[in-house]
Amino acid sequence: MNEIQLHDKQFSVSIDASKINAAVQSVADRINADYKGKNPLFLVVLNGAFMFASDLLKKVTIDCEVSFVKLSSYSGTKSTHIVRELIGLDEALTERYVIVVEDIIDTGITMENTIQKLIHLQAADVKIATLLFKPKSFRKNYTIDYIGLEIPNGFIVGYGLDYDGLGRNLPDIYKVID
Ligand code: IMP
Ligand code: MG
């Protein structure tokens, strides 16, 4: 299945499952080395990061905890840049080592907002793990600690990422054909 249609758009395979798996493993290796004995709290940003988080956490071998938050800034293929509240954060973050798990960082606005909210909650340390990063789209200057793959600017779907609700279940990542 090299080309697919979702709603009105055609997509073709851009990053296959084995390449994704290698990127996830490289993030896990770095986290396993950096967080031994720190019992980090992984904060998974739903919906998009669910598949990355599931595969990543199976490769994390140190003691850790996992929680989920939800927020949203996308509508269709364009970022609205309106970041809604973090929903579902019921853990005490005081003194915790937090690793925020995202599917993709594009402009960086969503993550900046998330980090500000977490620092407000007095986490000891907040680091970012994202599977995908679009460096040419990034408009902020904070550090992204763990990046799986850097990708060009085009709109993608699959492996958790959606186009108006469709495509999250795909095991490979597809790029829009314009
Ligand atoms: P940012 O605020 O521009 O960094 O956008 C971050 C959020 O937009 C991500 O968490 C994704 O949910 C979504 N997003 C960014 N790029 C894409 C894409 O190419 N396909 C699907 N969703 C995307
Ligand atoms: Mg997301």
PDB file of all heavy atoms in Angstrom, residues 84-120:
ATOM      1  N   ARG A  84      -5.347  24.681  23.525  1.00  0.00           N
ATOM      2  CA  ARG A  84      -6.334  24.580  24.600  1.00  0.00           C
ATOM      3  C   ARG A  84      -5.660  24.089  25.876  1.00  0.00           C
ATOM      4  O   ARG A  84      -4.484  23.801  25.892  1.00  0.00           O
ATOM      5  CB  ARG A  84      -7.457  23.643  24.164  1.00  0.00           C
ATOM      6  CG  ARG A  84      -8.262  24.263  23.026  1.00  0.00           C
ATOM      7  CD  ARG A  84      -9.199  23.251  22.390  1.00  0.00           C
ATOM      8  NE  ARG A  84      -9.321  23.565  20.969  1.00  0.00           N
ATOM      9  CZ  ARG A  84      -9.688  22.685  20.057  1.00  0.00           C
ATOM     10  NH1 ARG A  84      -9.974  21.456  20.379  1.00  0.00           N
ATOM     11  NH2 ARG A  84      -9.770  23.057  18.790  1.00  0.00           N
ATOM     12  N   GLU A  85      -6.412  24.009  26.928  1.00  0.00           N
ATOM     13  CA  GLU A  85      -5.867  23.595  28.228  1.00  0.00           C
ATOM     14  C   GLU A  85      -5.327  22.173  28.204  1.00  0.00           C
ATOM     15  O   GLU A  85      -5.719  21.353  27.375  1.00  0.00           O
ATOM     16  CB  GLU A  85      -6.976  23.678  29.284  1.00  0.00           C
ATOM     17  CG  GLU A  85      -7.299  25.097  29.688  1.00  0.00           C
ATOM     18  CD  GLU A  85      -6.081  25.817  30.263  1.00  0.00           C
ATOM     19  OE1 GLU A  85      -5.637  25.431  31.355  1.00  0.00           O
ATOM     20  OE2 GLU A  85      -5.583  26.733  29.612  1.00  0.00           O
ATOM     21  N   LEU A  86      -4.421  21.891  29.128  1.00  0.00           N
ATOM     22  CA  LEU A  86      -4.000  20.512  29.384  1.00  0.00           C
ATOM     23  C   LEU A  86      -5.132  19.834  30.148  1.00  0.00           C
ATOM     24  O   LEU A  86      -5.505  20.287  31.216  1.00  0.00           O
ATOM     25  CB  LEU A  86      -2.771  20.491  30.296  1.00  0.00           C
ATOM     26  CG  LEU A  86      -1.436  20.977  29.783  1.00  0.00           C
ATOM     27  CD1 LEU A  86      -0.393  20.794  30.889  1.00  0.00           C
ATOM     28  CD2 LEU A  86      -1.020  20.183  28.568  1.00  0.00           C
ATOM     29  N   ILE A  87      -5.662  18.769  29.610  1.00  0.00           N
ATOM     30  CA  ILE A  87      -6.731  18.042  30.305  1.00  0.00           C
ATOM     31  C   ILE A  87      -6.151  16.749  30.860  1.00  0.00           C
ATOM     32  O   ILE A  87      -5.403  16.065  30.166  1.00  0.00           O
ATOM     33  CB  ILE A  87      -7.880  17.663  29.345  1.00  0.00           C
ATOM     34  CG1 ILE A  87      -8.248  18.850  28.464  1.00  0.00           C
ATOM     35  CG2 ILE A  87      -9.098  17.156  30.103  1.00  0.00           C
ATOM     36  CD1 ILE A  87      -9.077  18.457  27.267  1.00  0.00           C
ATOM     37  N   GLY A  88      -6.497  16.414  32.075  1.00  0.00           N
ATOM     38  CA  GLY A  88      -6.207  15.081  32.594  1.00  0.00           C
ATOM     39  C   GLY A  88      -4.945  14.963  33.413  1.00  0.00           C
ATOM     40  O   GLY A  88      -4.555  13.862  33.775  1.00  0.00           O
ATOM     41  N   LEU A  89      -4.296  16.081  33.733  1.00  0.00           N
ATOM     42  CA  LEU A  89      -3.068  16.000  34.518  1.00  0.00           C
ATOM     43  C   LEU A  89      -3.419  15.873  35.996  1.00  0.00           C
ATOM     44  O   LEU A  89      -3.735  16.840  36.663  1.00  0.00           O
ATOM     45  CB  LEU A  89      -2.213  17.244  34.271  1.00  0.00           C
ATOM     46  CG  LEU A  89      -0.830  17.199  34.879  1.00  0.00           C
ATOM     47  CD1 LEU A  89      -0.037  16.030  34.342  1.00  0.00           C
ATOM     48  CD2 LEU A  89      -0.089  18.478  34.586  1.00  0.00           C
ATOM     49  N   ASP A  90      -3.391  14.637  36.494  1.00  0.00           N
ATOM     50  CA  ASP A  90      -3.793  14.432  37.891  1.00  0.00           C
ATOM     51  C   ASP A  90      -2.629  13.997  38.785  1.00  0.00           C
ATOM     52  O   ASP A  90      -2.814  13.656  39.937  1.00  0.00           O
ATOM     53  CB  ASP A  90      -4.951  13.417  37.979  1.00  0.00           C
ATOM     54  CG  ASP A  90      -4.673  12.160  37.183  1.00  0.00           C
ATOM     55  OD1 ASP A  90      -3.524  11.985  36.726  1.00  0.00           O
ATOM     56  OD2 ASP A  90      -5.596  11.355  37.009  1.00  0.00           O
ATOM     57  N   GLU A  91      -1.412  14.012  38.255  1.00  0.00           N
ATOM     58  CA  GLU A  91      -0.245  13.634  39.061  1.00  0.00           C
ATOM     59  C   GLU A  91       0.331  14.895  39.715  1.00  0.00           C
ATOM     60  O   GLU A  91       0.302  15.958  39.135  1.00  0.00           O
ATOM     61  CB  GLU A  91       0.878  13.067  38.171  1.00  0.00           C
ATOM     62  CG  GLU A  91       0.423  12.142  37.074  1.00  0.00           C
ATOM     63  CD  GLU A  91       0.082  10.783  37.606  1.00  0.00           C
ATOM     64  OE1 GLU A  91       0.853  10.279  38.420  1.00  0.00           O
ATOM     65  OE2 GLU A  91      -0.974  10.252  37.224  1.00  0.00           O
ATOM     66  N   ALA A  92       0.920  14.725  40.896  1.00  0.00           N
ATOM     67  CA  ALA A  92       1.697  15.819  41.479  1.00  0.00           C
ATOM     68  C   ALA A  92       3.041  15.858  40.763  1.00  0.00           C
ATOM     69  O   ALA A  92       3.726  14.839  40.651  1.00  0.00           O
ATOM     70  CB  ALA A  92       1.889  15.578  42.962  1.00  0.00           C
ATOM     71  N   LEU A  93       3.414  16.993  40.226  1.00  0.00           N
ATOM     72  CA  LEU A  93       4.671  17.082  39.460  1.00  0.00           C
ATOM     73  C   LEU A  93       5.825  17.617  40.284  1.00  0.00           C
ATOM     74  O   LEU A  93       6.974  17.617  39.835  1.00  0.00           O
ATOM     75  CB  LEU A  93       4.480  17.980  38.233  1.00  0.00           C
ATOM     76  CG  LEU A  93       3.515  17.482  37.183  1.00  0.00           C
ATOM     77  CD1 LEU A  93       3.604  18.362  35.948  1.00  0.00           C
ATOM     78  CD2 LEU A  93       3.807  16.041  36.797  1.00  0.00           C
ATOM     79  N   THR A  94       5.526  18.064  41.494  1.00  0.00           N
ATOM     80  CA  THR A  94       6.561  18.646  42.347  1.00  0.00           C
ATOM     81  C   THR A  94       7.749  17.696  42.452  1.00  0.00           C
ATOM     82  O   THR A  94       7.566  16.523  42.768  1.00  0.00           O
ATOM     83  CB  THR A  94       5.990  18.898  43.771  1.00  0.00           C
ATOM     84  OG1 THR A  94       4.626  19.197  43.637  1.00  0.00           O
ATOM     85  CG2 THR A  94       6.731  20.009  44.465  1.00  0.00           C
ATOM     86  N   GLU A  95       8.924  18.218  42.129  1.00  0.00           N
ATOM     87  CA  GLU A  95      10.177  17.457  42.237  1.00  0.00           C
ATOM     88  C   GLU A  95      10.305  16.295  41.245  1.00  0.00           C
ATOM     89  O   GLU A  95      11.237  15.514  41.344  1.00  0.00           O
ATOM     90  CB  GLU A  95      10.379  16.878  43.661  1.00  0.00           C
ATOM     91  CG  GLU A  95      10.108  17.851  44.790  1.00  0.00           C
ATOM     92  CD  GLU A  95      11.252  18.825  45.015  1.00  0.00           C
ATOM     93  OE1 GLU A  95      12.343  18.377  45.388  1.00  0.00           O
ATOM     94  OE2 GLU A  95      11.052  20.034  44.787  1.00  0.00           O
ATOM     95  N   ARG A  96       9.383  16.156  40.320  1.00  0.00           N
ATOM     96  CA  ARG A  96       9.476  15.026  39.386  1.00  0.00           C
ATOM     97  C   ARG A  96      10.318  15.385  38.166  1.00  0.00           C
ATOM     98  O   ARG A  96      10.341  16.526  37.722  1.00  0.00           O
ATOM     99  CB  ARG A  96       8.064  14.615  38.873  1.00  0.00           C
ATOM    100  CG  ARG A  96       7.139  14.040  39.906  1.00  0.00           C
ATOM    101  CD  ARG A  96       7.677  12.810  40.593  1.00  0.00           C
ATOM    102  NE  ARG A  96       8.055  11.720  39.709  1.00  0.00           N
ATOM    103  CZ  ARG A  96       7.272  10.675  39.418  1.00  0.00           C
ATOM    104  NH1 ARG A  96       6.058  10.587  39.929  1.00  0.00           N
ATOM    105  NH2 ARG A  96       7.710   9.716  38.635  1.00  0.00           N
ATOM    106  N   TYR A  97      10.971  14.361  37.595  1.00  0.00           N
ATOM    107  CA  TYR A  97      11.630  14.485  36.298  1.00  0.00           C
ATOM    108  C   TYR A  97      10.584  14.126  35.248  1.00  0.00           C
ATOM    109  O   TYR A  97      10.185  12.971  35.141  1.00  0.00           O
ATOM    110  CB  TYR A  97      12.824  13.534  36.206  1.00  0.00           C
ATOM    111  CG  TYR A  97      13.980  13.956  37.056  1.00  0.00           C
ATOM    112  CD1 TYR A  97      14.111  13.513  38.368  1.00  0.00           C
ATOM    113  CD2 TYR A  97      14.939  14.839  36.550  1.00  0.00           C
ATOM    114  CE1 TYR A  97      15.170  13.920  39.166  1.00  0.00           C
ATOM    115  CE2 TYR A  97      15.998  15.251  37.338  1.00  0.00           C
ATOM    116  CZ  TYR A  97      16.113  14.791  38.635  1.00  0.00           C
ATOM    117  OH  TYR A  97      17.161  15.209  39.414  1.00  0.00           O
ATOM    118  N   VAL A  98      10.162  15.127  34.506  1.00  0.00           N
ATOM    119  CA  VAL A  98       9.082  14.925  33.536  1.00  0.00           C
ATOM    120  C   VAL A  98       9.675  14.842  32.124  1.00  0.00           C
ATOM    121  O   VAL A  98      10.547  15.637  31.762  1.00  0.00           O
ATOM    122  CB  VAL A  98       8.065  16.084  33.622  1.00  0.00           C
ATOM    123  CG1 VAL A  98       6.990  15.957  32.551  1.00  0.00           C
ATOM    124  CG2 VAL A  98       7.422  16.141  35.009  1.00  0.00           C
ATOM    125  N   ILE A  99       9.223  13.864  31.361  1.00  0.00           N
ATOM    126  CA  ILE A  99       9.574  13.779  29.934  1.00  0.00           C
ATOM    127  C   ILE A  99       8.267  13.879  29.147  1.00  0.00           C
ATOM    128  O   ILE A  99       7.418  12.985  29.223  1.00  0.00           O
ATOM    129  CB  ILE A  99      10.301  12.468  29.582  1.00  0.00           C
ATOM    130  CG1 ILE A  99      11.551  12.285  30.441  1.00  0.00           C
ATOM    131  CG2 ILE A  99      10.656  12.444  28.088  1.00  0.00           C
ATOM    132  CD1 ILE A  99      12.231  10.919  30.280  1.00  0.00           C
ATOM    133  N   VAL A 100       8.092  14.973  28.442  1.00  0.00           N
ATOM    134  CA  VAL A 100       6.884  15.158  27.636  1.00  0.00           C
ATOM    135  C   VAL A 100       7.059  14.393  26.329  1.00  0.00           C
ATOM    136  O   VAL A 100       8.086  14.550  25.648  1.00  0.00           O
ATOM    137  CB  VAL A 100       6.627  16.652  27.351  1.00  0.00           C
ATOM    138  CG1 VAL A 100       5.330  16.841  26.577  1.00  0.00           C
ATOM    139  CG2 VAL A 100       6.590  17.445  28.651  1.00  0.00           C
ATOM    140  N   VAL A 101       6.092  13.569  25.978  1.00  0.00           N
ATOM    141  CA  VAL A 101       6.188  12.737  24.772  1.00  0.00           C
ATOM    142  C   VAL A 101       5.211  13.252  23.723  1.00  0.00           C
ATOM    143  O   VAL A 101       3.998  13.248  23.924  1.00  0.00           O
ATOM    144  CB  VAL A 101       5.875  11.253  25.090  1.00  0.00           C
ATOM    145  CG1 VAL A 101       5.995  10.395  23.833  1.00  0.00           C
ATOM    146  CG2 VAL A 101       6.807  10.740  26.190  1.00  0.00           C
ATOM    147  N   GLU A 102       5.772  13.729  22.601  1.00  0.00           N
ATOM    148  CA  GLU A 102       4.952  14.279  21.506  1.00  0.00           C
ATOM    149  C   GLU A 102       5.181  13.478  20.228  1.00  0.00           C
ATOM    150  O   GLU A 102       6.237  12.875  20.045  1.00  0.00           O
ATOM    151  CB  GLU A 102       5.351  15.740  21.248  1.00  0.00           C
ATOM    152  CG  GLU A 102       4.354  16.764  21.769  1.00  0.00           C
ATOM    153  CD  GLU A 102       3.040  16.838  20.983  1.00  0.00           C
ATOM    154  OE1 GLU A 102       2.668  15.883  20.273  1.00  0.00           O
ATOM    155  OE2 GLU A 102       2.379  17.878  21.095  1.00  0.00           O
ATOM    156  N   ASP A 103       4.199  13.489  19.346  1.00  0.00           N
ATOM    157  CA  ASP A 103       4.349  12.861  18.041  1.00  0.00           C
ATOM    158  C   ASP A 103       5.237  13.713  17.128  1.00  0.00           C
ATOM    159  O   ASP A 103       6.131  13.206  16.468  1.00  0.00           O
ATOM    160  CB  ASP A 103       2.984  12.620  17.371  1.00  0.00           C
ATOM    161  CG  ASP A 103       2.069  13.846  17.405  1.00  0.00           C
ATOM    162  OD1 ASP A 103       2.468  14.907  17.948  1.00  0.00           O
ATOM    163  OD2 ASP A 103       0.953  13.741  16.885  1.00  0.00           O
ATOM    164  N   ILE A 104       4.970  15.020  17.114  1.00  0.00           N
ATOM    165  CA  ILE A 104       5.669  15.887  16.158  1.00  0.00           C
ATOM    166  C   ILE A 104       5.748  17.310  16.701  1.00  0.00           C
ATOM    167  O   ILE A 104       4.810  17.781  17.350  1.00  0.00           O
ATOM    168  CB  ILE A 104       4.947  15.855  14.785  1.00  0.00           C
ATOM    169  CG1 ILE A 104       5.715  16.632  13.720  1.00  0.00           C
ATOM    170  CG2 ILE A 104       3.518  16.341  14.880  1.00  0.00           C
ATOM    171  CD1 ILE A 104       5.259  16.323  12.299  1.00  0.00           C
ATOM    172  N   ILE A 105       6.854  17.973  16.463  1.00  0.00           N
ATOM    173  CA  ILE A 105       6.969  19.404  16.746  1.00  0.00           C
ATOM    174  C   ILE A 105       7.161  20.112  15.416  1.00  0.00           C
ATOM    175  O   ILE A 105       8.090  19.828  14.664  1.00  0.00           O
ATOM    176  CB  ILE A 105       8.103  19.708  17.739  1.00  0.00           C
ATOM    177  CG1 ILE A 105       7.778  19.033  19.090  1.00  0.00           C
ATOM    178  CG2 ILE A 105       8.277  21.219  17.907  1.00  0.00           C
ATOM    179  CD1 ILE A 105       8.814  19.242  20.172  1.00  0.00           C
ATOM    180  N   ASP A 106       6.219  21.015  15.144  1.00  0.00           N
ATOM    181  CA  ASP A 106       6.133  21.708  13.862  1.00  0.00           C
ATOM    182  C   ASP A 106       6.580  23.153  14.102  1.00  0.00           C
ATOM    183  O   ASP A 106       7.777  23.431  14.116  1.00  0.00           O
ATOM    184  CB  ASP A 106       4.675  21.565  13.394  1.00  0.00           C
ATOM    185  CG  ASP A 106       4.390  22.140  12.026  1.00  0.00           C
ATOM    186  OD1 ASP A 106       5.225  22.881  11.493  1.00  0.00           O
ATOM    187  OD2 ASP A 106       3.314  21.871  11.478  1.00  0.00           O
ATOM    188  N   THR A 107       5.663  24.078  14.371  1.00  0.00           N
ATOM    189  CA  THR A 107       6.075  25.444  14.700  1.00  0.00           C
ATOM    190  C   THR A 107       6.680  25.528  16.094  1.00  0.00           C
ATOM    191  O   THR A 107       7.452  26.443  16.391  1.00  0.00           O
ATOM    192  CB  THR A 107       4.870  26.408  14.663  1.00  0.00           C
ATOM    193  OG1 THR A 107       3.931  25.985  15.648  1.00  0.00           O
ATOM    194  CG2 THR A 107       4.216  26.420  13.295  1.00  0.00           C
ATOM    195  N   GLY A 108       6.289  24.600  16.958  1.00  0.00           N
ATOM    196  CA  GLY A 108       6.796  24.593  18.331  1.00  0.00           C
ATOM    197  C   GLY A 108       5.913  25.314  19.326  1.00  0.00           C
ATOM    198  O   GLY A 108       6.183  25.327  20.526  1.00  0.00           O
ATOM    199  N   ILE A 109       4.834  25.902  18.829  1.00  0.00           N
ATOM    200  CA  ILE A 109       3.958  26.701  19.697  1.00  0.00           C
ATOM    201  C   ILE A 109       3.250  25.827  20.739  1.00  0.00           C
ATOM    202  O   ILE A 109       3.192  26.169  21.918  1.00  0.00           O
ATOM    203  CB  ILE A 109       2.928  27.481  18.839  1.00  0.00           C
ATOM    204  CG1 ILE A 109       3.666  28.522  17.998  1.00  0.00           C
ATOM    205  CG2 ILE A 109       1.867  28.129  19.718  1.00  0.00           C
ATOM    206  CD1 ILE A 109       2.800  29.216  16.951  1.00  0.00           C
ATOM    207  N   THR A 110       2.747  24.677  20.299  1.00  0.00           N
ATOM    208  CA  THR A 110       2.028  23.789  21.214  1.00  0.00           C
ATOM    209  C   THR A 110       2.924  23.368  22.374  1.00  0.00           C
ATOM    210  O   THR A 110       2.530  23.445  23.539  1.00  0.00           O
ATOM    211  CB  THR A 110       1.561  22.519  20.467  1.00  0.00           C
ATOM    212  OG1 THR A 110       0.858  22.920  19.303  1.00  0.00           O
ATOM    213  CG2 THR A 110       0.662  21.655  21.330  1.00  0.00           C
ATOM    214  N   MET A 111       4.128  22.939  22.053  1.00  0.00           N
ATOM    215  CA  MET A 111       5.036  22.448  23.090  1.00  0.00           C
ATOM    216  C   MET A 111       5.473  23.561  24.026  1.00  0.00           C
ATOM    217  O   MET A 111       5.599  23.346  25.230  1.00  0.00           O
ATOM    218  CB  MET A 111       6.249  21.781  22.424  1.00  0.00           C
ATOM    219  CG  MET A 111       7.223  21.195  23.389  1.00  0.00           C
ATOM    220  SD  MET A 111       6.511  19.970  24.507  1.00  0.00           S
ATOM    221  CE  MET A 111       6.514  18.537  23.470  1.00  0.00           C
ATOM    222  N   GLU A 112       5.687  24.747  23.501  1.00  0.00           N
ATOM    223  CA  GLU A 112       6.078  25.867  24.363  1.00  0.00           C
ATOM    224  C   GLU A 112       5.013  26.116  25.426  1.00  0.00           C
ATOM    225  O   GLU A 112       5.302  26.294  26.606  1.00  0.00           O
ATOM    226  CB  GLU A 112       6.276  27.138  23.533  1.00  0.00           C
ATOM    227  CG  GLU A 112       6.683  28.315  24.386  1.00  0.00           C
ATOM    228  CD  GLU A 112       7.027  29.540  23.558  1.00  0.00           C
ATOM    229  OE1 GLU A 112       6.114  30.063  22.890  1.00  0.00           O
ATOM    230  OE2 GLU A 112       8.196  29.951  23.574  1.00  0.00           O
ATOM    231  N   ASN A 113       3.779  26.068  24.971  1.00  0.00           N
ATOM    232  CA  ASN A 113       2.663  26.279  25.887  1.00  0.00           C
ATOM    233  C   ASN A 113       2.577  25.163  26.934  1.00  0.00           C
ATOM    234  O   ASN A 113       2.363  25.421  28.122  1.00  0.00           O
ATOM    235  CB  ASN A 113       1.393  26.324  25.030  1.00  0.00           C
ATOM    236  CG  ASN A 113       0.211  26.800  25.803  1.00  0.00           C
ATOM    237  OD1 ASN A 113      -0.340  26.061  26.591  1.00  0.00           O
ATOM    238  ND2 ASN A 113      -0.167  28.051  25.601  1.00  0.00           N
ATOM    239  N   THR A 114       2.789  23.941  26.497  1.00  0.00           N
ATOM    240  CA  THR A 114       2.756  22.790  27.410  1.00  0.00           C
ATOM    241  C   THR A 114       3.848  22.923  28.474  1.00  0.00           C
ATOM    242  O   THR A 114       3.591  22.754  29.668  1.00  0.00           O
ATOM    243  CB  THR A 114       2.981  21.485  26.616  1.00  0.00           C
ATOM    244  OG1 THR A 114       2.026  21.438  25.563  1.00  0.00           O
ATOM    245  CG2 THR A 114       2.824  20.263  27.499  1.00  0.00           C
ATOM    246  N   ILE A 115       5.057  23.255  28.026  1.00  0.00           N
ATOM    247  CA  ILE A 115       6.175  23.366  28.959  1.00  0.00           C
ATOM    248  C   ILE A 115       5.913  24.455  29.994  1.00  0.00           C
ATOM    249  O   ILE A 115       6.175  24.274  31.177  1.00  0.00           O
ATOM    250  CB  ILE A 115       7.481  23.698  28.197  1.00  0.00           C
ATOM    251  CG1 ILE A 115       7.862  22.552  27.277  1.00  0.00           C
ATOM    252  CG2 ILE A 115       8.625  23.956  29.166  1.00  0.00           C
ATOM    253  CD1 ILE A 115       8.861  22.983  26.238  1.00  0.00           C
ATOM    254  N   GLN A 116       5.385  25.591  29.539  1.00  0.00           N
ATOM    255  CA  GLN A 116       5.110  26.673  30.484  1.00  0.00           C
ATOM    256  C   GLN A 116       4.142  26.231  31.563  1.00  0.00           C
ATOM    257  O   GLN A 116       4.315  26.533  32.740  1.00  0.00           O
ATOM    258  CB  GLN A 116       4.564  27.901  29.742  1.00  0.00           C
ATOM    259  CG  GLN A 116       5.706  28.706  29.127  1.00  0.00           C
ATOM    260  CD  GLN A 116       5.239  29.694  28.076  1.00  0.00           C
ATOM    261  OE1 GLN A 116       4.061  29.759  27.744  1.00  0.00           O
ATOM    262  NE2 GLN A 116       6.168  30.458  27.542  1.00  0.00           N
ATOM    263  N   LYS A 117       3.136  25.458  31.156  1.00  0.00           N
ATOM    264  CA  LYS A 117       2.158  24.968  32.136  1.00  0.00           C
ATOM    265  C   LYS A 117       2.815  24.000  33.121  1.00  0.00           C
ATOM    266  O   LYS A 117       2.513  24.007  34.307  1.00  0.00           O
ATOM    267  CB  LYS A 117       1.001  24.279  31.421  1.00  0.00           C
ATOM    268  CG  LYS A 117       0.124  25.258  30.661  1.00  0.00           C
ATOM    269  CD  LYS A 117      -1.186  24.610  30.248  1.00  0.00           C
ATOM    270  CE  LYS A 117      -2.211  25.644  29.828  1.00  0.00           C
ATOM    271  NZ  LYS A 117      -1.957  26.226  28.516  1.00  0.00           N
ATOM    272  N   LEU A 118       3.736  23.167  32.636  1.00  0.00           N
ATOM    273  CA  LEU A 118       4.377  22.173  33.501  1.00  0.00           C
ATOM    274  C   LEU A 118       5.358  22.817  34.473  1.00  0.00           C
ATOM    275  O   LEU A 118       5.453  22.418  35.631  1.00  0.00           O
ATOM    276  CB  LEU A 118       5.101  21.120  32.654  1.00  0.00           C
ATOM    277  CG  LEU A 118       4.174  20.260  31.801  1.00  0.00           C
ATOM    278  CD1 LEU A 118       4.978  19.325  30.931  1.00  0.00           C
ATOM    279  CD2 LEU A 118       3.211  19.476  32.670  1.00  0.00           C
ATOM    280  N   ILE A 119       6.074  23.833  34.004  1.00  0.00           N
ATOM    281  CA  ILE A 119       7.026  24.513  34.882  1.00  0.00           C
ATOM    282  C   ILE A 119       6.265  25.208  36.012  1.00  0.00           C
ATOM    283  O   ILE A 119       6.678  25.218  37.162  1.00  0.00           O
ATOM    284  CB  ILE A 119       7.913  25.483  34.065  1.00  0.00           C
ATOM    285  CG1 ILE A 119       8.916  24.646  33.254  1.00  0.00           C
ATOM    286  CG2 ILE A 119       8.639  26.476  34.959  1.00  0.00           C
ATOM    287  CD1 ILE A 119       9.686  25.410  32.220  1.00  0.00           C
ATOM    288  N   HIS A 120       5.103  25.738  35.658  1.00  0.00           N
ATOM    289  CA  HIS A 120       4.202  26.345  36.626  1.00  0.00           C
ATOM    290  C   HIS A 120       3.815  25.362  37.726  1.00  0.00           C
ATOM    291  O   HIS A 120       3.560  25.725  38.858  1.00  0.00           O
ATOM    292  CB  HIS A 120       2.952  26.790  35.863  1.00  0.00           C
ATOM    293  CG  HIS A 120       2.247  27.928  36.490  1.00  0.00           C
ATOM    294  ND1 HIS A 120       2.786  29.181  36.509  1.00  0.00           N
ATOM    295  CD2 HIS A 120       1.056  27.998  37.142  1.00  0.00           C
ATOM    296  CE1 HIS A 120       1.936  29.982  37.144  1.00  0.00           C
ATOM    297  NE2 HIS A 120       0.888  29.283  37.540  1.00  0.00           N
TER     298      HIS A 120
END
